[in-house]
């Protein structure tokens, strides 16, 4: 997201639509467009041309995908999309769909390209590749290839195995590349995307934190009107920013509700009640609900059930506050009609709400809410990624200690305990988690990792030895990960001395833990959280 700028009254952004053909990197394409200062949205390939036109897109990008255009049941695109007159860029599978739809030829020649590949510009590379090096390394992942460009298209790049590695039709403003410019493995990949957006389409780089704030403030005012609204404030980045954004829009109509469900990390309640309130001026009500939550979680080990219970009880806690606030506002006939949630785009995607995506897990904000919910939801961050939310938070003046903190799941430590959630197990995990966070901060690593969940394997015991005696304690798992937006992640290579300090302190200071292990799984195949 670019730096904030002055915004006009008309802040509604027409999107660049990213059509998702089931690609691993579809969300990443949308991110790269936003990094170029242009608003983007994802849409499934099953959308009709009429549905796509209804979004009034300024441009369309066709994503890659795992299929072959020749496979029975392979993802298709309504070919009328190409008659909308909207500038379009095809990437990998989307490149082949474009070629096939417009009369070109796609063939399986037996020549495949995977990973780093040398590409060479043909001529000056046209507007899409113009100004880039004549030879560059790109990231390929394909078995089929475009063997002949459609009529009217100019070949812009080739590789040893792929004569038509990029093409363009300047008159129609249609372009395509066989490689993946959205991944950082492709040299000059972002430049390719920016050439399409800024040079071919002529879009300004004017989507920024200031624009988002101005647009959302207007939308929030229109949605809420003069009604009262409560916000689900957890102290995390998402809820902190969404609450501050709604407060900017409607002021004292908002009451923030902080539910202490007993699943928090050490010191979190104090941070919310002191630091956040002092910086924003938001009215805060704290609900002590630890006994209620733990009562409902007793005996529950299934992670999906845990998430749904926690989401349900959150809402029940808010409903109780709603009754109190309505009574308070009785003289004016007030009613608390709206609930603010810090739902982010990755939450929506992983809950099956993205473009043609699978339901990976239920989220406490998405799909885990009771059917009899008595609130209308306000979700001002629903289309944003985490780094974009941080930029908005900084623009709103939220303290860096909150804006820059590691992401923490809404269900809290309840989904970092593998097994039943009990008060004793929470206390054990809280201490281990606090030690890990303290040592990472001491080592100056907070800005180098996305987050470091500590997971208690509560139903597992391991043999150990301490003080010449045999122990039979719990293991904990350190899960340090690096990511840009939580859609994909890799485990962080922490220094051995830091890992050693964390392990030694946890096993020395937390009596019930006698083993610390390191999770070195990327995402995919694993998720960041264990449950």
């Amino acid at each position: 997201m670019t730096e904030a700028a002055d915004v006009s009254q008309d802040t509604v952004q027409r999107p660049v639509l990213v059509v998702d053909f089931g690609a691993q990197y579809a969300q990443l394409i949308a991110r790269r467009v936003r990094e170029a200062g242009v608003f983007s949205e994802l849409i499934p390939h099953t959308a009709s041309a009429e549905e796509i036109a209804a979004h009034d897109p300024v441009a369309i990008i066709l994503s890659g995908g795992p299929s072959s255009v020749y496979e029975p049941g392979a993802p298709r695109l309504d070919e009328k999309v190409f008659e909308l007159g909207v500038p379009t860029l095809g990437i990998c599978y989307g490149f082949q769909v474009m070629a096939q739809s417009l009369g070109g030829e796609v063939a399986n020649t037996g020549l495949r390209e995977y990973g780093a590949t040398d590409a060479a510009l043909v001529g000056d590379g046209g507007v899409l590749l113009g100004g880039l090096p004549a030879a560059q390394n790109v990231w390929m992942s394909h078995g089929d290839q475009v063997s002949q460009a459609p009529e009217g298209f100019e070949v812009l790049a080739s590789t040893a195995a792929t004569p038509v590695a990029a093409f363009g039709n300047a008159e129609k403003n249609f372009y395509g590349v066989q490689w993946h410019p959205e991944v950082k493995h492709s040299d000059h990949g972002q430049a390719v995307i920016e050439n399409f957006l800024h040079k071919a389409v002529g879009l300004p780089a004017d989507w920024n934190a200031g624009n988002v704030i101005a647009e959302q403030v207007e939308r929030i005012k229109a949605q809420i009107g003069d009604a009262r609204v409560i916000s689900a404030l957890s102290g995390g980045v998402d809820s902190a920013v969404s609450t501050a954004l709604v407060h900017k829009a409607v002021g004292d109509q908002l009451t923030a509700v902080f539910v202490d469900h007993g699943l928090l990390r050490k010191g979190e309640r104090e941070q919310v009640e002191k630091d956040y309130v002092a910086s924003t001026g938001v009215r805060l009500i704290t609900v002590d609900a630890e006994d209620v939550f733990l009562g409902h979680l007793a005996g529950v080990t299934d992670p999906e059930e845990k998430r749904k219970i926690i989401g349900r009880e959150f809402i029940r806690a808010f409903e109780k506050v709603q009754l109190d606030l309505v009574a308070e506002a009785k003289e004016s006939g007030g009613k608390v009609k709206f609930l603010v949630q810090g739902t982010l785009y990755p939450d929506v995607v992983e809950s099956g709400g993205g473009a043609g995506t699978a339901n990976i897990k239920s989220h406490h904000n998405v799909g885990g809410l009771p059917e009899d919910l008595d609130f209308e939801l306000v979700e001002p961050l629903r289309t944003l990624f985490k780094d974009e939310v941080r930029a908005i938070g900084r623009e709103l003046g939220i303290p860096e200690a909150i804006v820059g903190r590691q992401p923490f799941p809404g269900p809290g430590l309840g989904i970092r305990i593998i097994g039943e959630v009990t008060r004793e197990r929470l206390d054990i995990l809280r201490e281990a988690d606090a030690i890990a966070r303290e040592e990472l901060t001491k080592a100056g690593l907070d800005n180098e990792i996305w987050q470091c969940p500590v997971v208690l394997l509560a139903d597992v015991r391991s043999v150990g030895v301490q003080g010449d005696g045999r122990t039979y304690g719990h293991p904990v798992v350190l899960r340090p990960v690096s990511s840009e937006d939580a859609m994909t992640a890799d485990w962080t290579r922490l220094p051995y001395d830091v890992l050693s300090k964390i392990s030694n302190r946890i096993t020395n200071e937390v009596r019930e833990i006698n083993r610390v292990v390191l999770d070195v799984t990327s995402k995919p195949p694993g998720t960041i959280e264990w449950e």
Side-chain angles (χ1 to χ4, degrees):
M1 187 178 292
T2 58
E3 294 297 323
D6 292 335
V7 294
S8 64
Q9 297 261 338
D10 182 13
T11 57
V12 176
Q13 299 283 315
R14 293 174 60 199
V16 170
L17 288 184
V18 178
V19 178
D20 185 1
F21 287 98
Q24 177 183 353
Y25 300 122
Q27 292 81 23
L28 187 54
I29 297 171
R31 278 188 46 79
R32 296 296 181 238
V33 172
R34 295 183 185 194
E35 288 171 5
V38 179
F39 181 60
S40 63
E41 291 180 341
L42 281 159
I43 193 166
H45 70 273
T46 52
S48 67
E50 290 76 14
E51 290 170 328
I52 288 176
H55 284 77
D56 194 21
V58 290
I60 296 169
I61 298 180
L62 310 178
S63 84
S67 303
S68 165
V69 293
Y70 295 115
E71 290 178 0
R76 303 292 178 189
L77 180 69
D78 184 344
E79 293 188 1
K80 291 182 181 178
V81 169
F82 296 110
E83 300 173 7
L84 296 176
V86 179
T88 303
L89 172 68
I91 292 175
C92 193
Y93 184 85
F95 171 62
Q96 296 174 5
V97 166
M98 176 185 285
Q100 188 182 60
S101 299
L102 297 176
E105 294 183 8
V106 180
N108 188 332
T109 65
L111 297 175
R112 303 185 301 169
E113 291 177 315
Y114 293 97
T117 305
D118 291 326
L121 301 192
V122 175
D124 64 3
V127 68
L128 186 68
L129 305 178
L132 303 183
Q136 53 191 280
N137 194 259
V138 300
W139 193 258
M140 290 285 197
S141 181
H142 69 102
D144 297 335
Q145 56 186 280
V146 176
S147 56
Q148 181 176 324
E151 184 177 353
F153 279 71
E154 178 185 2
V155 177
L156 304 178
S158 64
T159 71
T162 307
V164 184
F167 60 37
N169 183 318
E171 182 181 350
K172 293 184 176 180
N173 237 353
F174 289 167
Y175 298 90
V177 293
Q178 181 60 71
W179 64 87
H180 287 276
E182 71 275 20
V183 302
K184 292 186 175 180
H185 306 295
S186 286
D187 294 345
H188 314 289
Q190 184 65 12
V192 173
I193 292 173
E194 292 183 3
N195 279 351
F196 172 70
L197 297 171
H198 303 318
K199 294 182 179 179
V201 188
L203 300 175
D206 63 356
W207 189 74
N208 51 57
N211 279 338
V212 173
I213 292 170
E215 179 180 348
Q216 286 302 325
V217 164
E218 292 306 311
R219 288 183 174 179
I220 291 165
K221 287 179 178 178
Q223 181 181 6
I224 293 175
D226 59 0
R228 298 185 68 175
V229 54
I230 60 177
S231 174
L233 182 62
S234 69
V237 179
D238 309 340
S239 66
V241 174
S242 60
T243 298
L245 194 52
V246 174
H247 186 254
K248 181 177 179 66
V250 300
D252 292 342
Q253 291 170 238
L254 170 71
T255 299
V257 179
F258 175 66
V259 177
D260 185 354
H261 46 31
L263 309 174
L264 301 170
R265 293 183 293 187
K266 198 171 183 178
E268 286 190 302
R269 177 167 177 167
E270 293 77 7
Q271 185 184 55
V272 171
E273 292 182 325
K274 295 179 181 178
D275 299 344
Y276 184 77
V277 171
S279 67
T280 62
V282 171
R283 179 192 180 194
L284 177 69
I285 294 176
T286 300
V287 179
D288 291 301
E290 180 177 4
D291 290 342
V292 173
F293 275 78
L294 293 186
H296 285 287
L297 289 168
V300 177
T301 59
D302 180 75
E304 287 296 286
E305 189 176 354
K306 285 184 191 177
R307 286 176 175 271
K308 289 178 179 178
I309 288 171
I310 294 168
R312 181 193 71 209
E313 293 309 312
F314 256 112
I315 297 301
R316 297 297 175 245
F318 288 127
E319 289 175 336
K320 292 178 181 178
V321 174
Q322 178 193 30
L323 294 175
D324 294 338
L325 292 176
V326 168
E328 178 186 290
K330 189 173 181 180
E331 291 183 3
S332 59
K335 178 183 179 183
V336 181
K337 183 179 178 182
F338 297 94
L339 168 64
V340 180
Q341 287 198 142
T343 309
L344 266 59
Y345 189 71
D347 303 333
V348 177
V349 171
E350 291 196 334
S351 301
T357 55
N359 188 339
I360 298 171
K361 61 186 177 185
S362 67
H363 189 269
H364 61 288
N365 288 347
V366 187
L369 300 177
E371 293 181 1
D372 58 346
L373 177 69
D374 194 27
F375 298 106
E376 183 178 331
L377 296 180
V378 180
E379 298 175 304
L381 310 178
R382 189 179 176 90
T383 62
L384 301 178
F385 293 97
K386 181 75 75 173
D387 59 329
E388 296 167 342
V389 171
R390 293 190 200 280
I392 291 169
R394 293 183 178 103
E395 185 75 10
L396 290 170
I398 299 174
E400 186 62 28
I402 295 176
V403 173
R405 69 175 296 189
Q406 291 184 15
F408 187 60
L413 298 180
I415 59 168
R416 291 184 178 174
I417 294 175
I418 308 303
E420 181 184 7
V421 178
T422 68
R423 188 174 277 105
E424 178 186 11
R425 290 174 172 182
L426 285 165
D427 289 341
I428 293 169
L429 180 53
R430 239 187 298 273
E431 292 303 317
D433 174 84
I435 291 169
R437 287 188 290 134
E438 182 180 333
E439 290 300 328
L440 290 172
T441 299
K442 282 182 181 179
L445 295 170
D446 285 342
N447 293 329
E448 295 185 25
I449 64 172
W450 175 264
Q451 65 184 114
C452 184
V454 179
V455 181
L456 177 65
L457 305 183
D459 289 342
V460 177
R461 294 276 185 169
S462 67
V463 176
V465 57
Q466 290 173 307
D468 295 326
R470 181 181 185 274
T471 63
Y472 198 51
H474 296 291
V476 292
V477 180
L478 301 182
R479 174 73 166 133
V481 294
S482 300
S483 179
E484 290 185 345
D485 51 38
M487 297 307 304
T488 60
D490 194 11
W491 67 281
T492 308
R493 277 65 169 173
L494 295 178
Y496 289 155
D497 62 333
V498 175
L499 289 171
S500 178
K501 287 179 182 178
I502 293 173
S503 178
N504 288 341
R505 282 197 59 194
I506 289 176
T507 53
N508 286 337
E509 298 176 30
V510 186
R511 180 178 57 84
E512 298 86 353
I513 297 173
N514 69 351
R515 192 179 298 270
V516 177
V517 300
L518 180 66
D519 183 345
V520 296
T521 312
S522 63
K523 175 187 178 181
T527 55
I528 291 177
E529 298 291 346
W530 274 44
E531 291 200 339

